[in-house]
Amino acid sequence: MRLAILGAGDVGRSVADLAGEYGHEVVALADSTNAVIDDDGIDVEGALQRKRSGEPVGVDDPDDVFEGEYDVLVEATPTTLGDAEPGFSHVERALEADRHVVLANKGPVAERYEEVRALEADSEGSVRFEATVGGAIPALSTVEDCMPENVTAVRGVLNGTANFILTRMAAEGLDYEHVLAEAQDLGVAEADPTFDVDGTDAALKFVILANVLSDGGFALEDAEVEGIQNIPGSALNLAAEDGRTIRLIGEATREGVRVGPRLVPENGPLAVTGTRNIIQIETRNAGSLHSSGRGAGGPETATAVLSDVNRLADH
Protein backbone atom coordinates (compact mmCIF):
# COMPACT_ATOMS: atom_id res chain seq x y z
CA MET A 1 0.00 0.00 0.00
CA ARG A 2 1.15 3.56 -0.75
CA LEU A 3 1.08 5.70 2.40
CA ALA A 4 0.67 9.47 2.70
CA ILE A 5 1.58 10.46 6.26
CA LEU A 6 0.31 13.69 7.81
CA GLY A 7 2.23 14.54 10.95
CA ALA A 8 5.98 14.19 11.44
CA GLY A 9 6.09 13.82 15.20
CA ASP A 10 7.19 10.62 16.96
CA VAL A 11 4.34 8.54 15.51
CA GLY A 12 4.45 9.86 11.95
CA ARG A 13 8.23 9.48 11.76
CA SER A 14 8.05 5.96 13.18
CA VAL A 15 5.37 4.94 10.65
CA ALA A 16 7.58 6.26 7.84
CA ASP A 17 10.62 4.47 9.26
CA LEU A 18 8.88 1.09 9.72
CA ALA A 19 6.57 1.06 6.69
CA GLY A 20 9.06 -0.81 4.50
CA GLU A 21 9.32 -3.64 7.04
CA TYR A 22 5.56 -4.16 6.65
CA GLY A 23 5.71 -4.15 2.86
CA HIS A 24 4.36 -0.63 2.32
CA GLU A 25 5.73 2.41 0.50
CA VAL A 26 5.72 6.02 1.74
CA VAL A 27 4.78 8.46 -1.03
CA ALA A 28 4.33 11.55 1.15
CA LEU A 29 5.39 12.83 4.58
CA ALA A 30 4.17 16.20 5.81
CA ASP A 31 4.33 18.32 8.92
CA SER A 32 2.37 21.51 9.51
CA THR A 33 4.46 23.70 7.21
CA ASN A 34 6.05 21.58 4.50
CA ALA A 35 6.10 18.15 2.87
CA VAL A 36 8.02 15.77 0.67
CA ILE A 37 5.89 14.07 -2.00
CA ASP A 38 6.88 11.53 -4.66
CA ASP A 39 4.39 9.15 -6.24
CA ASP A 40 7.26 6.71 -6.86
CA GLY A 41 8.22 6.70 -3.16
CA ILE A 42 10.05 9.29 -1.10
CA ASP A 43 13.56 8.97 0.32
CA VAL A 44 12.37 8.21 3.86
CA GLU A 45 15.79 8.27 5.51
CA GLY A 46 16.64 11.58 3.87
CA ALA A 47 13.37 13.14 5.03
CA LEU A 48 13.81 11.83 8.58
CA GLN A 49 17.39 13.06 8.71
CA ARG A 50 16.27 16.54 7.64
CA LYS A 51 13.61 16.51 10.35
CA ARG A 52 16.15 15.46 12.98
CA SER A 53 18.43 18.29 11.85
CA GLY A 54 15.69 20.88 12.20
CA GLU A 55 15.36 21.38 8.46
CA PRO A 56 12.09 21.21 6.48
CA VAL A 57 11.15 17.62 5.60
CA GLY A 58 10.75 18.78 1.99
CA VAL A 59 9.90 21.67 -0.30
CA ASP A 60 6.31 20.71 -1.14
CA ASP A 61 3.08 22.18 0.23
CA PRO A 62 1.34 19.90 2.78
CA ASP A 63 -1.95 20.57 1.00
CA ASP A 64 -0.56 18.90 -2.13
CA VAL A 65 -0.45 15.56 -0.30
CA PHE A 66 -4.12 15.08 -1.16
CA GLU A 67 -3.41 15.40 -4.89
CA GLY A 68 -0.84 12.60 -4.86
CA GLU A 69 -1.19 8.92 -5.70
CA TYR A 70 -1.72 7.28 -2.33
CA ASP A 71 -3.84 4.39 -1.07
CA VAL A 72 -3.96 5.20 2.65
CA LEU A 73 -3.84 8.53 4.47
CA VAL A 74 -2.14 8.11 7.85
CA GLU A 75 -3.45 10.93 10.05
CA ALA A 76 -0.87 11.44 12.79
CA THR A 77 -1.26 15.14 13.53
CA PRO A 78 -1.76 16.23 17.17
CA THR A 79 -5.11 15.45 18.77
CA THR A 80 -7.42 18.46 19.08
CA LEU A 81 -10.69 18.69 20.96
CA GLY A 82 -14.08 20.13 20.01
CA ASP A 83 -14.18 20.35 16.22
CA ALA A 84 -11.17 17.97 15.95
CA GLU A 85 -9.59 20.16 13.29
CA PRO A 86 -7.56 19.95 11.16
CA GLY A 87 -7.66 16.17 11.55
CA PHE A 88 -11.35 15.86 10.71
CA SER A 89 -10.96 17.79 7.45
CA HIS A 90 -8.03 15.59 6.49
CA VAL A 91 -10.22 12.50 7.01
CA GLU A 92 -13.02 14.12 5.02
CA ARG A 93 -10.80 14.96 2.04
CA ALA A 94 -9.31 11.47 1.85
CA LEU A 95 -12.66 9.68 2.10
CA GLU A 96 -14.27 11.99 -0.46
CA ALA A 97 -11.45 10.94 -2.80
CA ASP A 98 -12.28 7.26 -2.05
CA ARG A 99 -9.00 6.67 -0.19
CA HIS A 100 -8.53 4.75 3.05
CA VAL A 101 -7.70 6.50 6.33
CA VAL A 102 -5.78 5.20 9.33
CA LEU A 103 -5.90 7.43 12.40
CA ALA A 104 -3.40 7.91 15.19
CA ASN A 105 -5.14 11.22 15.98
CA LYS A 106 -7.90 10.61 18.54
CA GLY A 107 -9.90 13.78 17.85
CA PRO A 108 -12.05 12.78 14.84
CA VAL A 109 -13.32 9.51 16.34
CA ALA A 110 -13.65 10.84 19.89
CA GLU A 111 -15.39 14.10 19.05
CA ARG A 112 -17.06 13.52 15.65
CA TYR A 113 -17.50 9.77 15.38
CA GLU A 114 -20.89 9.75 13.64
CA GLU A 115 -19.69 12.24 11.02
CA VAL A 116 -16.62 10.13 10.29
CA ARG A 117 -18.78 7.02 9.87
CA ALA A 118 -21.19 8.90 7.59
CA LEU A 119 -18.30 9.99 5.38
CA GLU A 120 -17.03 6.42 5.33
CA ALA A 121 -20.46 5.10 4.30
CA ASP A 122 -20.41 7.34 1.23
CA SER A 123 -16.82 6.42 0.28
CA GLU A 124 -15.00 3.54 -1.34
CA GLY A 125 -12.44 4.05 1.41
CA SER A 126 -12.47 2.73 4.99
CA VAL A 127 -11.40 4.20 8.33
CA ARG A 128 -9.39 2.33 10.95
CA PHE A 129 -8.09 3.71 14.24
CA GLU A 130 -6.46 1.04 16.43
CA ALA A 131 -3.63 3.43 17.33
CA THR A 132 -5.99 5.93 18.97
CA VAL A 133 -6.71 3.76 21.99
CA GLY A 134 -3.86 1.69 23.37
CA GLY A 135 -0.69 2.14 21.34
CA ALA A 136 0.57 -1.35 20.54
CA ILE A 137 -2.25 -3.03 22.53
CA PRO A 138 -4.81 -4.57 20.13
CA ALA A 139 -7.85 -3.18 21.93
CA LEU A 140 -10.11 -2.27 19.02
CA SER A 141 -9.20 -5.28 16.91
CA THR A 142 -10.07 -7.55 19.85
CA VAL A 143 -13.46 -5.83 20.21
CA GLU A 144 -13.92 -6.15 16.45
CA ASP A 145 -13.03 -9.84 16.46
CA CYS A 146 -15.43 -10.52 19.35
CA MET A 147 -18.03 -8.34 17.58
CA PRO A 148 -19.00 -5.16 19.49
CA GLU A 149 -22.51 -6.42 20.25
CA ASN A 150 -20.95 -9.28 22.25
CA VAL A 151 -18.85 -6.90 24.40
CA THR A 152 -20.57 -5.57 27.53
CA ALA A 153 -17.82 -3.29 28.88
CA VAL A 154 -14.21 -2.28 28.43
CA ARG A 155 -12.14 -1.03 31.33
CA GLY A 156 -8.50 -0.56 32.14
CA VAL A 157 -5.48 1.70 32.48
CA LEU A 158 -4.79 3.70 29.34
CA ASN A 159 -2.43 6.47 30.38
CA GLY A 160 1.19 5.63 31.09
CA THR A 161 2.11 8.99 32.64
CA ALA A 162 -0.60 8.79 35.31
CA ASN A 163 0.22 5.16 35.95
CA PHE A 164 3.93 5.89 36.40
CA ILE A 165 3.15 8.64 38.92
CA LEU A 166 0.78 6.46 40.95
CA THR A 167 3.22 3.54 40.88
CA ARG A 168 6.10 5.68 42.18
CA MET A 169 3.94 7.34 44.83
CA ALA A 170 2.92 3.92 46.16
CA ALA A 171 6.36 2.31 45.96
CA GLU A 172 8.39 5.15 47.47
CA GLY A 173 5.87 6.92 49.68
CA LEU A 174 6.42 10.16 47.76
CA ASP A 175 3.92 12.95 47.17
CA TYR A 176 2.37 13.82 43.79
CA GLU A 177 4.41 16.95 43.05
CA HIS A 178 7.72 15.20 43.77
CA VAL A 179 6.94 12.26 41.48
CA LEU A 180 5.56 14.53 38.74
CA ALA A 181 8.85 16.46 38.69
CA GLU A 182 10.74 13.15 38.50
CA ALA A 183 8.52 11.99 35.62
CA GLN A 184 9.18 15.22 33.75
CA ASP A 185 12.95 14.84 34.24
CA LEU A 186 12.72 11.31 32.82
CA GLY A 187 10.62 12.40 29.85
CA VAL A 188 7.66 10.30 31.01
CA ALA A 189 5.55 13.43 31.62
CA GLU A 190 5.21 16.47 29.37
CA ALA A 191 6.26 19.93 30.51
CA ASP A 192 2.51 20.60 30.71
CA PRO A 193 1.14 17.25 31.93
CA THR A 194 -2.49 18.39 32.27
CA PHE A 195 -3.86 16.27 29.42
CA ASP A 196 -2.50 13.13 31.12
CA VAL A 197 -2.95 13.76 34.82
CA ASP A 198 -6.44 15.29 34.68
CA GLY A 199 -7.77 12.19 32.90
CA THR A 200 -8.51 13.82 29.51
CA ASP A 201 -6.24 11.54 27.48
CA ALA A 202 -7.65 8.37 29.03
CA ALA A 203 -11.20 9.71 28.69
CA LEU A 204 -10.76 10.30 24.95
CA LYS A 205 -9.67 6.68 24.54
CA PHE A 206 -12.64 5.33 26.46
CA VAL A 207 -15.01 7.62 24.56
CA ILE A 208 -13.70 6.03 21.35
CA LEU A 209 -14.32 2.57 22.81
CA ALA A 210 -17.85 3.57 23.86
CA ASN A 211 -18.50 4.86 20.33
CA VAL A 212 -17.40 1.53 18.89
CA LEU A 213 -19.62 -0.41 21.30
CA SER A 214 -22.64 1.84 20.65
CA ASP A 215 -21.99 2.86 17.04
CA GLY A 216 -21.60 6.47 18.14
CA GLY A 217 -23.32 8.79 20.54
CA PHE A 218 -20.43 9.91 22.73
CA ALA A 219 -17.94 12.78 22.86
CA LEU A 220 -15.52 13.94 25.55
CA GLU A 221 -18.17 16.20 27.11
CA ASP A 222 -20.28 13.11 27.88
CA ALA A 223 -17.60 11.47 30.01
CA GLU A 224 -17.34 11.64 33.81
CA VAL A 225 -13.67 12.46 34.39
CA GLU A 226 -11.52 12.88 37.49
CA GLY A 227 -7.74 13.13 37.50
CA ILE A 228 -5.00 12.12 39.93
CA GLN A 229 -3.68 15.56 40.95
CA ASN A 230 -5.41 15.57 44.34
CA ILE A 231 -4.47 12.07 45.51
CA PRO A 232 -2.34 12.33 48.69
CA GLY A 233 0.46 9.87 49.31
CA SER A 234 -1.35 8.85 52.50
CA ALA A 235 -4.25 7.45 50.43
CA LEU A 236 -1.89 5.04 48.69
CA ASN A 237 -0.36 4.03 52.05
CA LEU A 238 -3.81 3.28 53.47
CA ALA A 239 -4.74 1.29 50.38
CA ALA A 240 -1.54 -0.79 50.69
CA GLU A 241 -2.42 -1.72 54.27
CA ASP A 242 -5.56 -3.33 52.87
CA GLY A 243 -3.73 -5.11 50.02
CA ARG A 244 -4.89 -2.60 47.43
CA THR A 245 -3.54 0.27 45.40
CA ILE A 246 -4.91 3.17 43.34
CA ARG A 247 -4.96 3.36 39.55
CA LEU A 248 -6.54 5.75 37.06
CA ILE A 249 -9.22 3.42 35.71
CA GLY A 250 -11.48 4.07 32.75
CA GLU A 251 -14.63 2.22 31.79
CA ALA A 252 -16.67 2.31 28.59
CA THR A 253 -20.14 0.80 28.29
CA ARG A 254 -23.18 1.53 26.14
CA GLU A 255 -24.46 3.68 29.01
CA GLY A 256 -21.46 5.99 29.29
CA VAL A 257 -17.81 6.65 30.06
CA ARG A 258 -16.17 7.08 33.47
CA VAL A 259 -12.52 7.77 34.24
CA GLY A 260 -11.07 8.35 37.69
CA PRO A 261 -8.89 7.02 40.50
CA ARG A 262 -10.11 3.62 41.73
CA LEU A 263 -9.00 1.14 44.36
CA VAL A 264 -7.84 -2.14 42.81
CA PRO A 265 -6.28 -5.30 44.32
CA GLU A 266 -2.52 -4.83 44.63
CA ASN A 267 -1.83 -8.07 42.80
CA GLY A 268 -4.81 -7.89 40.46
CA PRO A 269 -4.63 -7.54 36.68
CA LEU A 270 -5.44 -3.80 36.70
CA ALA A 271 -2.53 -2.96 39.02
CA VAL A 272 -0.02 -2.67 36.17
CA THR A 273 3.12 -0.75 37.08
CA GLY A 274 5.23 1.98 35.52
CA THR A 275 4.13 3.19 32.11
CA ARG A 276 2.40 -0.06 31.14
CA ASN A 277 -1.24 -0.03 30.06
CA ILE A 278 -3.86 -2.75 30.29
CA ILE A 279 -7.25 -3.26 28.69
CA GLN A 280 -9.89 -5.61 30.11
CA ILE A 281 -12.71 -6.54 27.73
CA GLU A 282 -15.84 -8.09 29.21
CA THR A 283 -17.65 -10.33 26.73
CA ARG A 284 -20.94 -12.23 26.74
CA ASN A 285 -19.46 -15.52 25.59
CA ALA A 286 -15.71 -15.51 26.23
CA GLY A 287 -15.50 -14.05 29.71
CA SER A 288 -12.92 -11.40 30.54
CA LEU A 289 -10.07 -10.83 28.07
CA HIS A 290 -6.90 -8.96 29.06
CA SER A 291 -4.18 -7.37 26.97
CA SER A 292 -1.27 -5.39 28.37
CA GLY A 293 1.73 -3.57 26.96
CA ARG A 294 3.16 -0.22 26.00
CA GLY A 295 0.31 2.18 25.39
CA ALA A 296 2.37 4.99 23.89
CA GLY A 297 5.62 5.74 22.09
CA GLY A 298 6.49 6.26 18.45
CA PRO A 299 7.41 2.71 17.35
CA GLU A 300 4.74 1.14 19.56
CA THR A 301 1.94 3.29 18.15
CA ALA A 302 3.33 2.90 14.63
CA THR A 303 2.90 -0.86 14.90
CA ALA A 304 -0.83 -0.31 15.51
CA VAL A 305 -1.04 2.05 12.51
CA LEU A 306 0.74 -0.42 10.24
CA SER A 307 -1.37 -3.33 11.50
CA ASP A 308 -4.43 -1.35 10.42
CA VAL A 309 -2.83 -0.76 7.01
CA ASN A 310 -2.22 -4.50 6.72
CA ARG A 311 -5.88 -5.21 7.52
CA LEU A 312 -6.92 -2.80 4.79
CA ALA A 313 -4.55 -4.50 2.36
CA ASP A 314 -5.88 -7.95 3.29
CA HIS A 315 -9.45 -6.86 2.60
Side-chain angles (χ1 to χ4, degrees), residues 154-187:
V154 183
R155 65 180 59 89
V157 174
L158 287 180
N159 185 273
T161 299
N163 206 62
F164 176 88
I165 291 171
L166 292 172
T167 299
R168 290 285 293 152
M169 287 176 67
E172 304 297 333
L174 302 170
D175 63 28
Y176 169 81
E177 294 295 341
H178 182 103
V179 177
L180 173 60
E182 178 185 74
Q184 289 170 322
D185 288 342
L186 293 170

Short mmCIF file of all heavy atoms in Angstrom, two decimals, residues 154-187:
data_model
loop_
_atom_site.label_atom_id
_atom_site.label_comp_id
_atom_site.label_asym_id
_atom_site.label_seq_id
_atom_site.Cartn_x
_atom_site.Cartn_y
_atom_site.Cartn_z
N VAL A 154 -15.67 -2.28 28.55
CA VAL A 154 -14.21 -2.28 28.43
C VAL A 154 -13.68 -1.36 29.52
O VAL A 154 -14.16 -0.24 29.70
CB VAL A 154 -13.75 -1.75 27.05
CG1 VAL A 154 -12.22 -1.84 26.95
CG2 VAL A 154 -14.41 -2.52 25.91
N ARG A 155 -12.73 -1.87 30.28
CA ARG A 155 -12.14 -1.03 31.33
C ARG A 155 -10.64 -1.24 31.34
O ARG A 155 -10.12 -2.16 30.72
CB ARG A 155 -12.75 -1.34 32.70
CG ARG A 155 -12.49 -2.74 33.22
CD ARG A 155 -13.14 -2.94 34.59
NE ARG A 155 -14.58 -2.74 34.53
CZ ARG A 155 -15.45 -3.71 34.25
NH1 ARG A 155 -15.02 -4.96 33.98
NH2 ARG A 155 -16.74 -3.48 34.22
N GLY A 156 -9.94 -0.37 32.04
CA GLY A 156 -8.50 -0.56 32.14
C GLY A 156 -7.74 0.72 32.44
O GLY A 156 -8.30 1.76 32.78
N VAL A 157 -6.43 0.61 32.28
CA VAL A 157 -5.48 1.70 32.48
C VAL A 157 -4.93 2.08 31.12
O VAL A 157 -4.27 1.27 30.46
CB VAL A 157 -4.33 1.25 33.41
CG1 VAL A 157 -3.26 2.33 33.51
CG2 VAL A 157 -4.86 0.89 34.79
N LEU A 158 -5.21 3.30 30.68
CA LEU A 158 -4.79 3.70 29.34
C LEU A 158 -4.04 5.02 29.31
O LEU A 158 -4.08 5.74 28.32
CB LEU A 158 -6.01 3.77 28.40
CG LEU A 158 -6.59 2.42 27.98
CD1 LEU A 158 -7.78 2.61 27.05
CD2 LEU A 158 -5.53 1.55 27.29
N ASN A 159 -3.35 5.33 30.40
CA ASN A 159 -2.43 6.47 30.38
C ASN A 159 -1.18 6.14 31.17
O ASN A 159 -1.23 5.95 32.39
CB ASN A 159 -3.08 7.74 30.93
CG ASN A 159 -2.16 8.95 30.78
OD1 ASN A 159 -1.34 9.22 31.64
ND2 ASN A 159 -2.29 9.64 29.66
N GLY A 160 -0.06 6.04 30.46
CA GLY A 160 1.19 5.63 31.09
C GLY A 160 1.76 6.65 32.05
O GLY A 160 2.38 6.30 33.06
N THR A 161 1.58 7.94 31.76
CA THR A 161 2.11 8.99 32.64
C THR A 161 1.45 8.92 34.02
O THR A 161 2.13 8.91 35.05
CB THR A 161 1.87 10.38 32.03
OG1 THR A 161 2.55 10.46 30.77
CG2 THR A 161 2.38 11.48 32.94
N ALA A 162 0.12 8.88 34.04
CA ALA A 162 -0.60 8.79 35.31
C ALA A 162 -0.24 7.52 36.04
O ALA A 162 -0.08 7.52 37.28
CB ALA A 162 -2.11 8.86 35.06
N ASN A 163 -0.09 6.43 35.29
CA ASN A 163 0.22 5.16 35.95
C ASN A 163 1.62 5.17 36.55
O ASN A 163 1.85 4.64 37.65
CB ASN A 163 0.07 4.00 34.97
CG ASN A 163 -0.24 2.71 35.68
OD1 ASN A 163 -1.27 2.60 36.34
ND2 ASN A 163 0.66 1.73 35.58
N PHE A 164 2.57 5.78 35.86
CA PHE A 164 3.93 5.89 36.40
C PHE A 164 3.91 6.68 37.72
O PHE A 164 4.55 6.28 38.70
CB PHE A 164 4.84 6.59 35.39
CG PHE A 164 6.23 6.86 35.88
CD1 PHE A 164 7.22 5.91 35.73
CD2 PHE A 164 6.54 8.07 36.51
CE1 PHE A 164 8.52 6.15 36.20
CE2 PHE A 164 7.82 8.31 36.97
CZ PHE A 164 8.81 7.35 36.82
N ILE A 165 3.19 7.80 37.73
CA ILE A 165 3.15 8.64 38.92
C ILE A 165 2.54 7.88 40.09
O ILE A 165 3.09 7.88 41.21
CB ILE A 165 2.36 9.93 38.63
CG1 ILE A 165 3.15 10.82 37.66
CG2 ILE A 165 2.05 10.69 39.92
CD1 ILE A 165 2.38 12.01 37.13
N LEU A 166 1.42 7.21 39.86
CA LEU A 166 0.78 6.46 40.95
C LEU A 166 1.65 5.30 41.43
O LEU A 166 1.70 5.00 42.63
CB LEU A 166 -0.59 5.95 40.50
CG LEU A 166 -1.65 7.03 40.27
CD1 LEU A 166 -2.89 6.43 39.64
CD2 LEU A 166 -1.99 7.75 41.57
N THR A 167 2.33 4.64 40.50
CA THR A 167 3.22 3.54 40.88
C THR A 167 4.35 4.02 41.78
O THR A 167 4.66 3.41 42.81
CB THR A 167 3.82 2.88 39.62
OG1 THR A 167 2.77 2.36 38.80
CG2 THR A 167 4.76 1.74 39.99
N ARG A 168 4.98 5.14 41.40
CA ARG A 168 6.10 5.68 42.18
C ARG A 168 5.62 6.21 43.54
O ARG A 168 6.31 6.03 44.55
CB ARG A 168 6.79 6.79 41.40
CG ARG A 168 7.55 6.30 40.18
CD ARG A 168 8.84 5.61 40.57
NE ARG A 168 9.78 6.55 41.16
CZ ARG A 168 10.71 6.23 42.06
NH1 ARG A 168 10.81 4.98 42.48
NH2 ARG A 168 11.54 7.14 42.55
N MET A 169 4.47 6.85 43.55
CA MET A 169 3.94 7.34 44.83
C MET A 169 3.73 6.19 45.81
O MET A 169 4.07 6.30 46.99
CB MET A 169 2.62 8.09 44.60
CG MET A 169 2.77 9.45 43.96
SD MET A 169 1.16 10.23 43.60
CE MET A 169 0.52 10.52 45.26
N ALA A 170 3.19 5.07 45.30
CA ALA A 170 2.92 3.92 46.16
C ALA A 170 4.21 3.24 46.60
O ALA A 170 4.37 2.86 47.76
CB ALA A 170 2.01 2.94 45.44
N ALA A 171 5.15 3.08 45.67
CA ALA A 171 6.36 2.31 45.96
C ALA A 171 7.32 3.05 46.89
O ALA A 171 7.99 2.44 47.73
CB ALA A 171 7.07 1.94 44.66
N GLU A 172 7.38 4.38 46.73
CA GLU A 172 8.39 5.15 47.47
C GLU A 172 7.80 6.03 48.56
O GLU A 172 8.54 6.71 49.27
CB GLU A 172 9.18 6.03 46.48
CG GLU A 172 9.84 5.26 45.34
CD GLU A 172 10.89 4.28 45.84
OE1 GLU A 172 11.46 4.52 46.92
OE2 GLU A 172 11.13 3.28 45.14
N GLY A 173 6.48 6.08 48.66
CA GLY A 173 5.87 6.92 49.68
C GLY A 173 6.05 8.40 49.41
O GLY A 173 6.09 9.22 50.35
N LEU A 174 6.17 8.77 48.14
CA LEU A 174 6.42 10.16 47.76
C LEU A 174 5.11 10.88 47.43
O LEU A 174 4.11 10.24 47.10
CB LEU A 174 7.35 10.21 46.54
CG LEU A 174 8.71 9.53 46.73
CD1 LEU A 174 9.44 9.43 45.40
CD2 LEU A 174 9.55 10.32 47.73
N ASP A 175 5.14 12.21 47.50
CA ASP A 175 3.92 12.95 47.17
C ASP A 175 3.84 13.21 45.66
O ASP A 175 4.81 13.03 44.92
CB ASP A 175 3.82 14.25 47.97
CG ASP A 175 4.93 15.24 47.66
OD1 ASP A 175 5.47 15.23 46.54
OD2 ASP A 175 5.26 16.05 48.55
N TYR A 176 2.67 13.64 45.22
CA TYR A 176 2.37 13.82 43.79
C TYR A 176 3.36 14.77 43.12
O TYR A 176 3.90 14.45 42.05
CB TYR A 176 0.94 14.32 43.63
CG TYR A 176 0.61 14.78 42.23
CD1 TYR A 176 0.28 13.88 41.24
CD2 TYR A 176 0.62 16.14 41.91
CE1 TYR A 176 -0.02 14.30 39.94
CE2 TYR A 176 0.33 16.58 40.62
CZ TYR A 176 0.01 15.66 39.65
OH TYR A 176 -0.27 16.09 38.37
N GLU A 177 3.57 15.94 43.70
CA GLU A 177 4.41 16.95 43.05
C GLU A 177 5.84 16.46 42.88
O GLU A 177 6.48 16.71 41.85
CB GLU A 177 4.41 18.26 43.87
CG GLU A 177 3.06 18.96 43.91
CD GLU A 177 2.61 19.46 42.54
OE1 GLU A 177 3.47 19.59 41.65
OE2 GLU A 177 1.40 19.72 42.37
N HIS A 178 6.35 15.72 43.86
CA HIS A 178 7.72 15.20 43.77
C HIS A 178 7.84 14.20 42.62
O HIS A 178 8.77 14.26 41.81
CB HIS A 178 8.09 14.52 45.10
CG HIS A 178 9.49 14.00 45.14
ND1 HIS A 178 10.51 14.65 45.81
CD2 HIS A 178 10.07 12.89 44.59
CE1 HIS A 178 11.64 13.98 45.66
NE2 HIS A 178 11.40 12.90 44.92
N VAL A 179 6.88 13.28 42.52
CA VAL A 179 6.94 12.26 41.48
C VAL A 179 6.69 12.87 40.11
O VAL A 179 7.30 12.47 39.12
CB VAL A 179 5.94 11.12 41.77
CG1 VAL A 179 5.96 10.08 40.65
CG2 VAL A 179 6.28 10.46 43.10
N LEU A 180 5.80 13.86 40.03
CA LEU A 180 5.56 14.53 38.74
C LEU A 180 6.85 15.17 38.23
O LEU A 180 7.18 15.02 37.04
CB LEU A 180 4.48 15.60 38.89
CG LEU A 180 4.25 16.49 37.66
CD1 LEU A 180 3.84 15.66 36.45
CD2 LEU A 180 3.21 17.56 37.96
N ALA A 181 7.59 15.84 39.10
CA ALA A 181 8.85 16.46 38.69
C ALA A 181 9.84 15.40 38.20
O ALA A 181 10.54 15.59 37.21
CB ALA A 181 9.44 17.25 39.85
N GLU A 182 9.88 14.27 38.91
CA GLU A 182 10.74 13.15 38.50
C GLU A 182 10.33 12.63 37.13
O GLU A 182 11.18 12.39 36.25
CB GLU A 182 10.64 12.04 39.53
CG GLU A 182 11.45 10.79 39.19
CD GLU A 182 11.20 9.68 40.21
OE1 GLU A 182 10.12 9.07 40.18
OE2 GLU A 182 12.12 9.42 41.00
N ALA A 183 9.02 12.48 36.91
CA ALA A 183 8.52 11.99 35.62
C ALA A 183 8.87 12.95 34.49
O ALA A 183 9.20 12.53 33.37
CB ALA A 183 7.01 11.79 35.71
N GLN A 184 8.81 14.24 34.77
CA GLN A 184 9.18 15.22 33.75
C GLN A 184 10.67 15.15 33.44
O GLN A 184 11.07 15.24 32.27
CB GLN A 184 8.78 16.62 34.22
CG GLN A 184 7.26 16.84 34.20
CD GLN A 184 6.83 18.11 34.89
OE1 GLN A 184 7.40 18.50 35.91
NE2 GLN A 184 5.81 18.76 34.35
N ASP A 185 11.49 14.97 34.46
CA ASP A 185 12.95 14.84 34.24
C ASP A 185 13.27 13.61 33.39
O ASP A 185 14.21 13.63 32.58
CB ASP A 185 13.68 14.73 35.58
CG ASP A 185 13.71 16.04 36.34
OD1 ASP A 185 13.48 17.10 35.71
OD2 ASP A 185 13.95 16.01 37.56
N LEU A 186 12.49 12.55 33.56
CA LEU A 186 12.72 11.31 32.82
C LEU A 186 12.09 11.32 31.43
O LEU A 186 12.29 10.38 30.66
CB LEU A 186 12.17 10.12 33.61
CG LEU A 186 12.88 9.78 34.92
CD1 LEU A 186 12.08 8.75 35.71
CD2 LEU A 186 14.29 9.27 34.64
N GLY A 187 11.31 12.35 31.13
CA GLY A 187 10.62 12.40 29.85
C GLY A 187 9.34 11.58 29.80
O GLY A 187 8.74 11.42 28.73
#
